[in-house]
Amino acid sequence: MAKTVLITGATSGIGKAAALALAQQGYHVIIHGRNPGKTEVIRKEIIDESGNGQVSAVTADLYSLADIRRMCAGIHGQFSRIDILINNAGGLLGKSREATQENFEKTFAVNVLAPFLITHLLMDLLIKSDDARIINVASNSHQLNAKPDFGDIQLEKQYNPLRAYGNAKLFLIWNTQHLAGQLQRDGITNVRAYTLHPGAVATSFGVGSDLGPVLNFVSKLARSFFRSPESGADTIVYLATAENVPGKSGDYFVDRKPAKKSTKYFTAEREQLIWNYCLEQTGLYR
Ligand SMILES: NC(=O)c1ccc[n+]([C@@H]2O[C@H](COP(=O)([O-])OP(=O)(O)OC[C@H]3O[C@@H](n4cnc5c(N)ncnc54)[C@H](OP(=O)(O)O)[C@@H]3O)[C@@H](O)[C@H]2O)c1
């Protein structure tokens, strides 16, 4: 039976390229999008291009924890096992701070809380796989732009889009390594978790983000040197499909290889603090 892979943010850019590559390799691909019409168009496109009819679609607005819960309940109704979860959806917001209806800063909501909640809600389906993989798409921005203030996680006092993005990807990396440690402590050896940086990729990423005139100009100029979405998807597809992934669960990858994460702000206490904060905010504390 074909392995089942769920990939968020598969309606454009890196996620769409990864979904197509996995469909071409015979996986049963569940694509996630936020707009039902757009998601259905992409689903048909992937079926046509790959020749693989086993492409399903789910939708949710990842700015809404309630909608994520609804989507994951639907996935439980449809699928009995998930082998690979790729938390790819994410992005950089604009120069003015925006909050979700549930009152989370949007960069944090989509890049940190959404993958956290999806992973927890689908863990029972992942555990059923012989070789489950959770692949969280991070960024080297965690090295370049993060400057976390643990008293202001929602950046209510000092918001800046690049800092919000760098912090969010740093927290995503910490949550992934924390999860890997927890799985190991619980004796769960059939589920591994990874993060990666896809490179600088020419997608819709940052295109609609108004970062101010100087950064807008620089990012437009830099875009012509970026890699293709297919090349950006390469490490994701590798982590999803390789028989023997080097390194260990919880590692961060660049160009298929385990790479160094920033240690600048890391302490085990801070990692635990962010994990607990996500547990509380997503209502997962039992
Ligand atoms: N491009 C780069 O240079 C780069 C570098 C490092 C890391 N990354 C990371 O790579 C991942 C993919 O980005 P990309 O470059 O492929 O960008 P993209 O083309 O903008 O794709 C982002 C995907 O996420 C979805 N998405 C965003 N916000 C969402 C929300 N609130 N609810 C549901 N879906 C949402 C988008 O849906 P719609 O189609 O509906 O907009 C889209 O499918 C992101 O996590 C990004 O941070 C990208």
Side-chain angles (χ1 to χ4, degrees), residues 95-123:
K95 66 176 190 262
S96 303
R97 183 184 182 280
E98 288 179 64
T100 66
Q101 285 201 341
E102 291 152 336
N103 211 19
F104 297 108
E105 190 281 312
K106 281 191 172 176
T107 321
F108 183 82
V110 70
N111 292 287
V112 184
L113 285 181
F116 187 88
L117 184 59
I118 294 169
T119 301
H120 278 77
L121 294 178
L122 299 181
M123 189 55 82

PDB file of all heavy atoms in Angstrom, residues 95-123:
ATOM      1  N   LYS A  95       4.902  45.011   7.427  1.00  0.00           N
ATOM      2  CA  LYS A  95       5.572  45.869   8.407  1.00  0.00           C
ATOM      3  C   LYS A  95       4.702  46.252   9.601  1.00  0.00           C
ATOM      4  O   LYS A  95       5.225  46.682  10.630  1.00  0.00           O
ATOM      5  CB  LYS A  95       6.160  47.107   7.735  1.00  0.00           C
ATOM      6  CG  LYS A  95       5.160  48.071   7.142  1.00  0.00           C
ATOM      7  CD  LYS A  95       5.911  49.292   6.610  1.00  0.00           C
ATOM      8  CE  LYS A  95       4.951  50.384   6.231  1.00  0.00           C
ATOM      9  NZ  LYS A  95       4.608  50.477   4.843  1.00  0.00           N
ATOM     10  N   SER A  96       3.367  46.086   9.485  1.00  0.00           N
ATOM     11  CA  SER A  96       2.502  46.363  10.633  1.00  0.00           C
ATOM     12  C   SER A  96       2.054  45.049  11.259  1.00  0.00           C
ATOM     13  O   SER A  96       1.681  44.117  10.544  1.00  0.00           O
ATOM     14  CB  SER A  96       1.251  47.125  10.202  1.00  0.00           C
ATOM     15  OG  SER A  96       1.622  48.304   9.562  1.00  0.00           O
ATOM     16  N   ARG A  97       2.097  44.988  12.566  1.00  0.00           N
ATOM     17  CA  ARG A  97       1.715  43.766  13.275  1.00  0.00           C
ATOM     18  C   ARG A  97       0.229  43.442  13.041  1.00  0.00           C
ATOM     19  O   ARG A  97      -0.616  44.318  13.143  1.00  0.00           O
ATOM     20  CB  ARG A  97       1.969  43.942  14.776  1.00  0.00           C
ATOM     21  CG  ARG A  97       1.682  42.719  15.619  1.00  0.00           C
ATOM     22  CD  ARG A  97       1.881  43.041  17.087  1.00  0.00           C
ATOM     23  NE  ARG A  97       1.655  41.881  17.937  1.00  0.00           N
ATOM     24  CZ  ARG A  97       0.464  41.433  18.301  1.00  0.00           C
ATOM     25  NH1 ARG A  97      -0.634  42.037  17.902  1.00  0.00           N
ATOM     26  NH2 ARG A  97       0.357  40.377  19.089  1.00  0.00           N
ATOM     27  N   GLU A  98      -0.046  42.189  12.700  1.00  0.00           N
ATOM     28  CA  GLU A  98      -1.443  41.755  12.531  1.00  0.00           C
ATOM     29  C   GLU A  98      -1.705  40.586  13.461  1.00  0.00           C
ATOM     30  O   GLU A  98      -0.827  39.727  13.639  1.00  0.00           O
ATOM     31  CB  GLU A  98      -1.685  41.280  11.096  1.00  0.00           C
ATOM     32  CG  GLU A  98      -1.722  42.393  10.063  1.00  0.00           C
ATOM     33  CD  GLU A  98      -1.933  41.808   8.672  1.00  0.00           C
ATOM     34  OE1 GLU A  98      -2.993  41.216   8.406  1.00  0.00           O
ATOM     35  OE2 GLU A  98      -0.995  41.923   7.860  1.00  0.00           O
ATOM     36  N   ALA A  99      -2.925  40.530  13.996  1.00  0.00           N
ATOM     37  CA  ALA A  99      -3.279  39.431  14.900  1.00  0.00           C
ATOM     38  C   ALA A  99      -4.411  38.601  14.298  1.00  0.00           C
ATOM     39  O   ALA A  99      -5.227  39.105  13.511  1.00  0.00           O
ATOM     40  CB  ALA A  99      -3.705  39.981  16.253  1.00  0.00           C
ATOM     41  N   THR A 100      -4.440  37.335  14.669  1.00  0.00           N
ATOM     42  CA  THR A 100      -5.520  36.460  14.222  1.00  0.00           C
ATOM     43  C   THR A 100      -6.767  36.742  15.067  1.00  0.00           C
ATOM     44  O   THR A 100      -6.694  37.440  16.082  1.00  0.00           O
ATOM     45  CB  THR A 100      -5.128  34.979  14.413  1.00  0.00           C
ATOM     46  OG1 THR A 100      -5.013  34.733  15.823  1.00  0.00           O
ATOM     47  CG2 THR A 100      -3.817  34.651  13.737  1.00  0.00           C
ATOM     48  N   GLN A 101      -7.882  36.140  14.673  1.00  0.00           N
ATOM     49  CA  GLN A 101      -9.122  36.315  15.451  1.00  0.00           C
ATOM     50  C   GLN A 101      -8.961  35.800  16.870  1.00  0.00           C
ATOM     51  O   GLN A 101      -9.606  36.270  17.788  1.00  0.00           O
ATOM     52  CB  GLN A 101     -10.269  35.568  14.767  1.00  0.00           C
ATOM     53  CG  GLN A 101     -10.756  36.311  13.541  1.00  0.00           C
ATOM     54  CD  GLN A 101     -12.160  35.916  13.141  1.00  0.00           C
ATOM     55  OE1 GLN A 101     -12.659  34.869  13.534  1.00  0.00           O
ATOM     56  NE2 GLN A 101     -12.791  36.757  12.350  1.00  0.00           N
ATOM     57  N   GLU A 102      -8.062  34.796  17.025  1.00  0.00           N
ATOM     58  CA  GLU A 102      -7.823  34.237  18.375  1.00  0.00           C
ATOM     59  C   GLU A 102      -6.723  35.022  19.102  1.00  0.00           C
ATOM     60  O   GLU A 102      -6.250  34.595  20.158  1.00  0.00           O
ATOM     61  CB  GLU A 102      -7.459  32.754  18.255  1.00  0.00           C
ATOM     62  CG  GLU A 102      -8.640  31.889  17.809  1.00  0.00           C
ATOM     63  CD  GLU A 102      -8.223  30.632  17.050  1.00  0.00           C
ATOM     64  OE1 GLU A 102      -7.118  30.603  16.460  1.00  0.00           O
ATOM     65  OE2 GLU A 102      -9.015  29.676  17.013  1.00  0.00           O
ATOM     66  N   ASN A 103      -6.337  36.130  18.481  1.00  0.00           N
ATOM     67  CA  ASN A 103      -5.407  37.092  19.091  1.00  0.00           C
ATOM     68  C   ASN A 103      -3.956  36.630  19.201  1.00  0.00           C
ATOM     69  O   ASN A 103      -3.279  36.920  20.187  1.00  0.00           O
ATOM     70  CB  ASN A 103      -5.952  37.545  20.463  1.00  0.00           C
ATOM     71  CG  ASN A 103      -5.512  38.969  20.764  1.00  0.00           C
ATOM     72  OD1 ASN A 103      -5.121  39.717  19.845  1.00  0.00           O
ATOM     73  ND2 ASN A 103      -5.535  39.347  22.025  1.00  0.00           N
ATOM     74  N   PHE A 104      -3.473  35.937  18.174  1.00  0.00           N
ATOM     75  CA  PHE A 104      -2.044  35.622  18.084  1.00  0.00           C
ATOM     76  C   PHE A 104      -1.445  36.430  16.949  1.00  0.00           C
ATOM     77  O   PHE A 104      -2.092  36.605  15.905  1.00  0.00           O
ATOM     78  CB  PHE A 104      -1.836  34.131  17.799  1.00  0.00           C
ATOM     79  CG  PHE A 104      -2.349  33.242  18.889  1.00  0.00           C
ATOM     80  CD1 PHE A 104      -3.502  32.484  18.709  1.00  0.00           C
ATOM     81  CD2 PHE A 104      -1.699  33.184  20.113  1.00  0.00           C
ATOM     82  CE1 PHE A 104      -3.987  31.679  19.726  1.00  0.00           C
ATOM     83  CE2 PHE A 104      -2.177  32.380  21.133  1.00  0.00           C
ATOM     84  CZ  PHE A 104      -3.330  31.627  20.940  1.00  0.00           C
ATOM     85  N   GLU A 105      -0.202  36.863  17.143  1.00  0.00           N
ATOM     86  CA  GLU A 105       0.513  37.542  16.065  1.00  0.00           C
ATOM     87  C   GLU A 105       0.571  36.536  14.891  1.00  0.00           C
ATOM     88  O   GLU A 105       0.882  35.364  15.081  1.00  0.00           O
ATOM     89  CB  GLU A 105       1.914  37.938  16.577  1.00  0.00           C
ATOM     90  CG  GLU A 105       2.694  38.857  15.662  1.00  0.00           C
ATOM     91  CD  GLU A 105       3.333  38.142  14.496  1.00  0.00           C
ATOM     92  OE1 GLU A 105       3.974  37.097  14.723  1.00  0.00           O
ATOM     93  OE2 GLU A 105       3.167  38.594  13.349  1.00  0.00           O
ATOM     94  N   LYS A 106       0.247  36.999  13.683  1.00  0.00           N
ATOM     95  CA  LYS A 106       0.027  36.065  12.566  1.00  0.00           C
ATOM     96  C   LYS A 106       1.259  35.237  12.175  1.00  0.00           C
ATOM     97  O   LYS A 106       1.127  34.073  11.803  1.00  0.00           O
ATOM     98  CB  LYS A 106      -0.492  36.830  11.349  1.00  0.00           C
ATOM     99  CG  LYS A 106      -1.974  37.143  11.436  1.00  0.00           C
ATOM    100  CD  LYS A 106      -2.504  37.662  10.101  1.00  0.00           C
ATOM    101  CE  LYS A 106      -4.027  37.778  10.154  1.00  0.00           C
ATOM    102  NZ  LYS A 106      -4.560  38.361   8.906  1.00  0.00           N
ATOM    103  N   THR A 107       2.463  35.839  12.240  1.00  0.00           N
ATOM    104  CA  THR A 107       3.669  35.085  11.857  1.00  0.00           C
ATOM    105  C   THR A 107       3.843  33.898  12.810  1.00  0.00           C
ATOM    106  O   THR A 107       4.183  32.788  12.399  1.00  0.00           O
ATOM    107  CB  THR A 107       4.931  35.974  11.945  1.00  0.00           C
ATOM    108  OG1 THR A 107       4.612  37.287  11.482  1.00  0.00           O
ATOM    109  CG2 THR A 107       6.077  35.407  11.169  1.00  0.00           C
ATOM    110  N   PHE A 108       3.614  34.163  14.091  1.00  0.00           N
ATOM    111  CA  PHE A 108       3.731  33.123  15.117  1.00  0.00           C
ATOM    112  C   PHE A 108       2.629  32.062  14.910  1.00  0.00           C
ATOM    113  O   PHE A 108       2.883  30.855  15.013  1.00  0.00           O
ATOM    114  CB  PHE A 108       3.607  33.766  16.499  1.00  0.00           C
ATOM    115  CG  PHE A 108       3.790  32.803  17.638  1.00  0.00           C
ATOM    116  CD1 PHE A 108       5.055  32.450  18.078  1.00  0.00           C
ATOM    117  CD2 PHE A 108       2.691  32.257  18.274  1.00  0.00           C
ATOM    118  CE1 PHE A 108       5.223  31.553  19.126  1.00  0.00           C
ATOM    119  CE2 PHE A 108       2.847  31.361  19.324  1.00  0.00           C
ATOM    120  CZ  PHE A 108       4.121  31.004  19.751  1.00  0.00           C
ATOM    121  N   ALA A 109       1.434  32.534  14.594  1.00  0.00           N
ATOM    122  CA  ALA A 109       0.294  31.608  14.445  1.00  0.00           C
ATOM    123  C   ALA A 109       0.550  30.584  13.339  1.00  0.00           C
ATOM    124  O   ALA A 109       0.401  29.374  13.551  1.00  0.00           O
ATOM    125  CB  ALA A 109      -0.979  32.400  14.149  1.00  0.00           C
ATOM    126  N   VAL A 110       0.982  31.068  12.166  1.00  0.00           N
ATOM    127  CA  VAL A 110       1.094  30.144  11.019  1.00  0.00           C
ATOM    128  C   VAL A 110       2.393  29.325  11.039  1.00  0.00           C
ATOM    129  O   VAL A 110       2.400  28.166  10.623  1.00  0.00           O
ATOM    130  CB  VAL A 110       0.893  30.893   9.679  1.00  0.00           C
ATOM    131  CG1 VAL A 110       2.061  31.818   9.357  1.00  0.00           C
ATOM    132  CG2 VAL A 110       0.654  29.922   8.537  1.00  0.00           C
ATOM    133  N   ASN A 111       3.484  29.933  11.547  1.00  0.00           N
ATOM    134  CA  ASN A 111       4.774  29.234  11.502  1.00  0.00           C
ATOM    135  C   ASN A 111       5.047  28.372  12.732  1.00  0.00           C
ATOM    136  O   ASN A 111       5.897  27.483  12.683  1.00  0.00           O
ATOM    137  CB  ASN A 111       5.923  30.237  11.349  1.00  0.00           C
ATOM    138  CG  ASN A 111       5.935  30.928   9.995  1.00  0.00           C
ATOM    139  OD1 ASN A 111       6.273  30.329   8.983  1.00  0.00           O
ATOM    140  ND2 ASN A 111       5.559  32.205   9.963  1.00  0.00           N
ATOM    141  N   VAL A 112       4.377  28.666  13.860  1.00  0.00           N
ATOM    142  CA  VAL A 112       4.682  27.932  15.098  1.00  0.00           C
ATOM    143  C   VAL A 112       3.462  27.171  15.619  1.00  0.00           C
ATOM    144  O   VAL A 112       3.495  25.949  15.771  1.00  0.00           O
ATOM    145  CB  VAL A 112       5.208  28.883  16.212  1.00  0.00           C
ATOM    146  CG1 VAL A 112       5.624  28.089  17.454  1.00  0.00           C
ATOM    147  CG2 VAL A 112       6.368  29.719  15.711  1.00  0.00           C
ATOM    148  N   LEU A 113       2.384  27.907  15.897  1.00  0.00           N
ATOM    149  CA  LEU A 113       1.224  27.255  16.527  1.00  0.00           C
ATOM    150  C   LEU A 113       0.560  26.241  15.596  1.00  0.00           C
ATOM    151  O   LEU A 113       0.154  25.165  16.041  1.00  0.00           O
ATOM    152  CB  LEU A 113       0.191  28.294  16.977  1.00  0.00           C
ATOM    153  CG  LEU A 113       0.539  29.097  18.228  1.00  0.00           C
ATOM    154  CD1 LEU A 113      -0.604  30.066  18.557  1.00  0.00           C
ATOM    155  CD2 LEU A 113       0.822  28.200  19.431  1.00  0.00           C
ATOM    156  N   ALA A 114       0.423  26.595  14.317  1.00  0.00           N
ATOM    157  CA  ALA A 114      -0.257  25.682  13.382  1.00  0.00           C
ATOM    158  C   ALA A 114       0.474  24.338  13.289  1.00  0.00           C
ATOM    159  O   ALA A 114      -0.142  23.287  13.518  1.00  0.00           O
ATOM    160  CB  ALA A 114      -0.428  26.337  12.016  1.00  0.00           C
ATOM    161  N   PRO A 115       1.795  24.323  12.985  1.00  0.00           N
ATOM    162  CA  PRO A 115       2.460  23.012  12.929  1.00  0.00           C
ATOM    163  C   PRO A 115       2.425  22.277  14.264  1.00  0.00           C
ATOM    164  O   PRO A 115       2.321  21.046  14.295  1.00  0.00           O
ATOM    165  CB  PRO A 115       3.908  23.348  12.521  1.00  0.00           C
ATOM    166  CG  PRO A 115       4.042  24.816  12.585  1.00  0.00           C
ATOM    167  CD  PRO A 115       2.681  25.415  12.527  1.00  0.00           C
ATOM    168  N   PHE A 116       2.509  23.024  15.355  1.00  0.00           N
ATOM    169  CA  PHE A 116       2.470  22.402  16.689  1.00  0.00           C
ATOM    170  C   PHE A 116       1.147  21.661  16.886  1.00  0.00           C
ATOM    171  O   PHE A 116       1.119  20.488  17.275  1.00  0.00           O
ATOM    172  CB  PHE A 116       2.637  23.498  17.749  1.00  0.00           C
ATOM    173  CG  PHE A 116       2.784  22.984  19.153  1.00  0.00           C
ATOM    174  CD1 PHE A 116       4.037  22.652  19.657  1.00  0.00           C
ATOM    175  CD2 PHE A 116       1.683  22.843  19.979  1.00  0.00           C
ATOM    176  CE1 PHE A 116       4.176  22.178  20.958  1.00  0.00           C
ATOM    177  CE2 PHE A 116       1.819  22.368  21.275  1.00  0.00           C
ATOM    178  CZ  PHE A 116       3.066  22.030  21.767  1.00  0.00           C
ATOM    179  N   LEU A 117       0.051  22.351  16.595  1.00  0.00           N
ATOM    180  CA  LEU A 117      -1.272  21.745  16.827  1.00  0.00           C
ATOM    181  C   LEU A 117      -1.539  20.599  15.847  1.00  0.00           C
ATOM    182  O   LEU A 117      -2.011  19.527  16.246  1.00  0.00           O
ATOM    183  CB  LEU A 117      -2.366  22.822  16.727  1.00  0.00           C
ATOM    184  CG  LEU A 117      -3.783  22.339  17.052  1.00  0.00           C
ATOM    185  CD1 LEU A 117      -3.880  21.771  18.465  1.00  0.00           C
ATOM    186  CD2 LEU A 117      -4.804  23.482  16.893  1.00  0.00           C
ATOM    187  N   ILE A 118      -1.208  20.803  14.576  1.00  0.00           N
ATOM    188  CA  ILE A 118      -1.442  19.741  13.574  1.00  0.00           C
ATOM    189  C   ILE A 118      -0.671  18.480  13.978  1.00  0.00           C
ATOM    190  O   ILE A 118      -1.204  17.368  13.965  1.00  0.00           O
ATOM    191  CB  ILE A 118      -1.023  20.219  12.158  1.00  0.00           C
ATOM    192  CG1 ILE A 118      -1.941  21.353  11.688  1.00  0.00           C
ATOM    193  CG2 ILE A 118      -1.048  19.066  11.155  1.00  0.00           C
ATOM    194  CD1 ILE A 118      -1.465  22.067  10.422  1.00  0.00           C
ATOM    195  N   THR A 119       0.589  18.661  14.356  1.00  0.00           N
ATOM    196  CA  THR A 119       1.426  17.508  14.728  1.00  0.00           C
ATOM    197  C   THR A 119       0.809  16.759  15.913  1.00  0.00           C
ATOM    198  O   THR A 119       0.725  15.521  15.906  1.00  0.00           O
ATOM    199  CB  THR A 119       2.853  17.992  15.080  1.00  0.00           C
ATOM    200  OG1 THR A 119       3.390  18.675  13.943  1.00  0.00           O
ATOM    201  CG2 THR A 119       3.764  16.843  15.458  1.00  0.00           C
ATOM    202  N   HIS A 120       0.381  17.505  16.924  1.00  0.00           N
ATOM    203  CA  HIS A 120      -0.197  16.841  18.101  1.00  0.00           C
ATOM    204  C   HIS A 120      -1.509  16.139  17.767  1.00  0.00           C
ATOM    205  O   HIS A 120      -1.753  15.021  18.212  1.00  0.00           O
ATOM    206  CB  HIS A 120      -0.401  17.857  19.243  1.00  0.00           C
ATOM    207  CG  HIS A 120       0.867  18.093  20.011  1.00  0.00           C
ATOM    208  ND1 HIS A 120       1.886  18.891  19.536  1.00  0.00           N
ATOM    209  CD2 HIS A 120       1.290  17.596  21.197  1.00  0.00           C
ATOM    210  CE1 HIS A 120       2.884  18.889  20.409  1.00  0.00           C
ATOM    211  NE2 HIS A 120       2.551  18.128  21.427  1.00  0.00           N
ATOM    212  N   LEU A 121      -2.346  16.801  16.978  1.00  0.00           N
ATOM    213  CA  LEU A 121      -3.656  16.212  16.681  1.00  0.00           C
ATOM    214  C   LEU A 121      -3.547  14.988  15.772  1.00  0.00           C
ATOM    215  O   LEU A 121      -4.434  14.135  15.788  1.00  0.00           O
ATOM    216  CB  LEU A 121      -4.590  17.256  16.052  1.00  0.00           C
ATOM    217  CG  LEU A 121      -5.000  18.419  16.966  1.00  0.00           C
ATOM    218  CD1 LEU A 121      -5.878  19.415  16.205  1.00  0.00           C
ATOM    219  CD2 LEU A 121      -5.740  17.924  18.214  1.00  0.00           C
ATOM    220  N   LEU A 122      -2.472  14.925  14.990  1.00  0.00           N
ATOM    221  CA  LEU A 122      -2.339  13.780  14.065  1.00  0.00           C
ATOM    222  C   LEU A 122      -1.341  12.726  14.549  1.00  0.00           C
ATOM    223  O   LEU A 122      -1.092  11.740  13.851  1.00  0.00           O
ATOM    224  CB  LEU A 122      -1.950  14.279  12.668  1.00  0.00           C
ATOM    225  CG  LEU A 122      -2.964  15.229  12.004  1.00  0.00           C
ATOM    226  CD1 LEU A 122      -2.485  15.625  10.613  1.00  0.00           C
ATOM    227  CD2 LEU A 122      -4.370  14.608  11.913  1.00  0.00           C
ATOM    228  N   MET A 123      -0.798  12.919  15.742  1.00  0.00           N
ATOM    229  CA  MET A 123       0.236  11.991  16.239  1.00  0.00           C
ATOM    230  C   MET A 123      -0.271  10.545  16.299  1.00  0.00           C
ATOM    231  O   MET A 123       0.478   9.611  15.992  1.00  0.00           O
ATOM    232  CB  MET A 123       0.732  12.452  17.617  1.00  0.00           C
ATOM    233  CG  MET A 123       1.940  11.704  18.122  1.00  0.00           C
ATOM    234  SD  MET A 123       3.360  11.722  16.999  1.00  0.00           S
ATOM    235  CE  MET A 123       4.071  13.308  17.385  1.00  0.00           C
TER     236      MET A 123
END
